[in-house]
Each structure stands twice: as structure tokens, then as C-alpha cells.
Amino acid sequence: MDWVDLRSDTVTLPTPEMRVAMAEAEVGDDVYGEDPSINRLEEISAARMGKEAGLFVPSGTMGNLSAILAYCGRGDEFILGDLSHTFIFEAGGAAALGGVHPHTLENQTNGSLILEEIEDGIRPDDIHQPISRLLVLENTHNRCGGTALSVEYTRSAGDLAHQHGLKLHLDGARIFNAAIFLGVEVKELVDPADSVTFCLSKGLSAPVGSVLCGSDDFIRQARRIRKQLGGGMRQAGILAAAGIVALETMIDRLAEDHARAKLLAQGLSQIPGLVLDPGTPHTNMVFLSLGEEVPLSGTEVANKLKAQGVRVGVVSKNRFRLVTHHGIEDGDIEVAIGAFQEVMGGV
Ligand code: TLP
């Protein structure tokens, strides 16, 4: 079946240009620092982020975990949102592998944390309490609807963290989507952060990988941690080559995904029984819920959509996430709206 797959932008496939670049990539042993393609990807990435250095990692999860472990020791804590990807979807890696204590604050609907709550949450110097070392923000914020945090907010949060001796790490899995929505340079957006992880394998369509960027000292430490985690790869320049093409060719087109998410949201908002999150979409994610009057569960609706060739993410009992990406054309948006009309019409 020719699927309209809206479950995630992680389902994107490498472009033909990426496949050529992968086939022709110059490679070497990256654990010796000798893979020219990886070295180039790390340099380009660091330059884009305005940081001193970059580290190619197999996944966003490993990028975030390496950062947390570089900043925090056993019994230290990091502050993050209760809806953040790192808290919900990274298998508790920081606690399991590093003994690092997650201190969650309530995420606001726009993905932010209230600055006063961050300040109140930072621990005093008291032997009863863990030491607060790190603040982690997510931009765009996945569970909060693909919302973008502004430059001003990020700067205020960074200043606050730094005043109290904490570092700021950004889970910027979709940081380019945020920069495009805000109309700012990505460098400006990540400037307040000490480190940032961004993903090549989501909207940018590369098959594998993320890059963690930060200072030279930080990346040296993160490189050791990546090795401890088993993420020291060898001739992985084959993967980095696709990442370079992703950075060179796939960023500007993310605006098309945002436009299609808007079209999708507009169409779905006309269908009785569907309730869209107000104020969204900002970027490439559409979140919607079933009205209380609808007698079907989210899974039942998703199964009926699937029978029509449309795949959506079910994120809770009656809530969906639909993500636009490189594999979704205008016609697919029409198909998805039509499938929802049909399923909801039969309810
Ligand atoms: N997110 C995936 C799933 O894990 C939910 C998705 O489909 O959106 N940070 C953020 C904000 C993410 O959305 C993700 C992946 C990650 C980190 C982790 O990246 P990977 O999957 O490369 O480990």
C-alpha cells in the first residue's frame, strides 16, 4: 500500500543525493579521529550552531544522554519539563546509566518552563539535597505540539541557569524547524545554550544520526562518554555523508512541511468530533483530540484510518499526533483529511 505516513518525521527516507554521497563517502576509523566525512560533518555542524566543536552520535537520545552525563555526576540533578522527550521517551537513561536525578517542572502549553519555577527549583547548598547542575530545554517541543521557544525566552532561561552556576543544554532535535518558524538564525537561537543536540534523521531525512555541539572541552568529555555508551563508530562517514547533504539541502524546505501542517490542521478543524490544540501548529506537528461525544478510542480511529492507507500517531487514549515531512505532498494532506472525514462521518 502507498501509505500516507504521518506518524513521525523519523519515517523520512534518504534522498537520492544522500545515497550517492553515502556510496562515494571518504571514510576512516572515527575512533582514531580519522574519518574525513565525520570530521567535516562535525565542523559544519559546529559552525552552524556557533559552537566550538561537534560530535556525531547515532541518535538524539545518545546526544542528550552524553550531554547530561558530561555535566552531571551521580546524585546530581538536572531540571527539565515533565513533558520533555528526555523525561518521557529516553528510557530513563540519565538515571539508569548515570545515577543522575531528573527534577521535573510543569511544561507550559508552549513548551516553556516558568522562569520563577526554575529559580525556585534550583537547590540551595544543603547536604540533604542533590546538587542542581543542568537545565534542559526542548526546541521545538514535541509533546507540546511542535511549539518553538523564542530567542528571548531561551536567553532568559540561559541567564538564569548561568547566574546559579547551572549549564543549559538544548534538546534541539528539531531546532531548524524552530528557527524557520521564528524567522531567526539557528545560531542566535542556540547562543544562550552551552550545548545543543540536533537531529539529522527527522525532518532533514538523513537515515541516521544527530550532532551534539558545544565547547571544545565539553565535546572532548562527551566523546569519552559516547565511547562508554558504545557509540564510538568506525567508518561511519558513510552515514555522516548523508548528514552533510541533509544540512546542505534539506533545511530550507522544512517551511513546506510547516505550510502543509497548517493546511492539514485547517481541514481537520472543520470535521465534527475533532478538537485541535489551540494556537498550533507552529511547525510540522498537528495534535488533535476526539471530542467527548465520540464513542471510539484513539486506537480504534487510528485503525480505521490505517485501513484507508493513513497512519497517524496515537499519543494517549483519545489524542493524535500527525507530523508532516519530506515524504508528504499536498495530495497526501487531502487524502488524510478525506480519511478523517470518512471515519468521523461514520461515527
Ligand atoms: N522523537 C521521536 C519519538 O521518540 C517520540 C518522534 O517520533 O518524535 N528529542 C526529541 C524532541 C525527539 O522528538 C526525539 C525523537 C529525540 C530527542 C530522540 O531522537 P532519536 O530517536 O534519534 O533517539
Side-chain angles (χ1 to χ4, degrees):
M1 188 181 276
D2 230 357
W3 294 104
V4 174
D5 195 344
L6 294 160
R7 288 173 300 168
S8 182
D9 46 9
T10 58
V11 304
T12 43
L13 300 174
T15 63
E17 197 180 342
M18 286 178 193
R19 287 182 182 271
V20 171
M22 292 171 81
E24 293 175 356
E26 239 191 294
V27 297
D29 189 331
D30 180 53
V31 174
Y32 293 136
E34 291 173 5
D35 188 301
S37 302
I38 293 187
N39 292 343
R40 175 137 180 269
L41 173 66
E42 292 179 343
E43 268 166 38
I44 296 174
S45 299
R48 286 231 175 210
M49 296 292 144
K51 305 292 180 202
E52 287 173 359
L55 180 69
F56 184 48
V57 285
S59 65
T61 300
M62 194 184 284
N64 290 333
L65 180 57
S66 303
I68 294 165
L69 298 184
Y71 293 125
C72 306
R74 299 189 75 78
D76 290 343
E77 77 171 11
F78 64 119
I79 294 176
L80 77 175
D82 60 351
L83 295 178
S84 63
H85 192 277
T86 300
F87 183 58
I88 303 180
F89 293 116
E90 295 176 17
L97 304 176
V100 187
H101 184 55
H103 177 169
T104 55
L105 300 177
E106 190 182 347
N107 266 122
Q108 303 303 293
T109 49
N110 66 358
S112 68
L113 302 175
I114 295 175
L115 295 177
E116 292 71 31
E117 292 187 6
I118 298 175
E119 189 153 31
D120 289 347
I122 296 171
R123 309 285 183 167
D125 183 5
D126 174 341
I127 58 157
H128 296 87
Q129 301 193 21
I131 300 173
S132 309
R133 297 271 185 212
L134 174 67
L135 172 65
V136 176
L137 295 176
E138 185 174 316
N139 200 6
T140 62
H141 200 289
N142 187 338
R143 265 310 117 113
C144 291
T147 44
L149 296 174
S150 67
V151 173
E152 296 71 28
Y153 174 79
T154 312
R155 188 158 298 291
S156 304
D159 287 347
L160 180 61
H162 295 144
Q163 275 158 24
H164 291 272
L166 276 72
K167 300 290 188 189
L168 172 62
H169 173 70
L170 273 188
D171 175 356
R174 299 182 180 82
I175 197 71
F176 294 109
N177 296 81
I180 285 174
F181 170 76
L182 297 165
V184 299
E185 284 293 317
V186 76
K187 242 188 227 180
E188 199 189 341
L189 193 50
V190 307
D191 181 62
D194 299 279
S195 55
V196 55
T197 306
F198 72 86
C199 292
L200 299 161
S201 61
K202 302 193 167 61
L204 301 188
S205 303
V208 180
S210 293
V211 187
L212 173 63
C213 297
S215 70
D216 283 327
D217 282 350
F218 166 79
I219 291 296
R220 201 169 306 116
Q221 211 177 336
R223 198 176 285 282
R224 182 187 293 266
I225 291 164
R226 183 188 68 173
K227 192 78 182 86
Q228 285 180 330
L229 296 173
M233 298 178 285
R234 302 292 176 176
Q235 288 73 25
I238 286 182
L239 303 173
I244 293 168
V245 176
L247 285 178
E248 285 172 349
T249 66
M250 300 299 282
I251 293 175
D252 292 344
R253 65 151 306 284
L254 293 174
E256 293 175 30
D257 298 342
H258 299 182
R260 290 196 179 103
K262 279 216 164 64
L263 278 180
L264 181 60
Q266 273 159 14
L268 296 177
S269 68
Q270 307 301 315
I271 301 176
L274 297 182
V275 184
L276 272 92
D277 282 13
T280 59
H282 275 188
T283 56
N284 66 332
M285 292 186 187
V286 179
F287 280 75
L288 60 144
S289 307
L290 295 173
E292 280 173 11
E293 70 284 7
V294 177
L296 296 177
S297 71
T299 306
E300 285 165 334
V301 169
N303 285 339
K304 285 175 184 285
L305 292 167
K306 193 171 165 190
Q308 301 204 32
V310 175
R311 294 177 120 169
V312 300
V314 180
V315 297
S316 66
K317 218 171 98 224
N318 65 351
R319 196 164 156 73
F320 307 100
R321 181 185 75 158
L322 280 61
V323 186
T324 54
H325 52 77
H326 187 227
I328 298 293
E329 302 291 338
D330 288 342
D332 298 322
I333 300 296
E334 283 165 30
V335 170
I337 295 169
F340 265 101
Q341 269 163 348
E342 182 131 347
V343 171
M344 299 305 291
V347 167

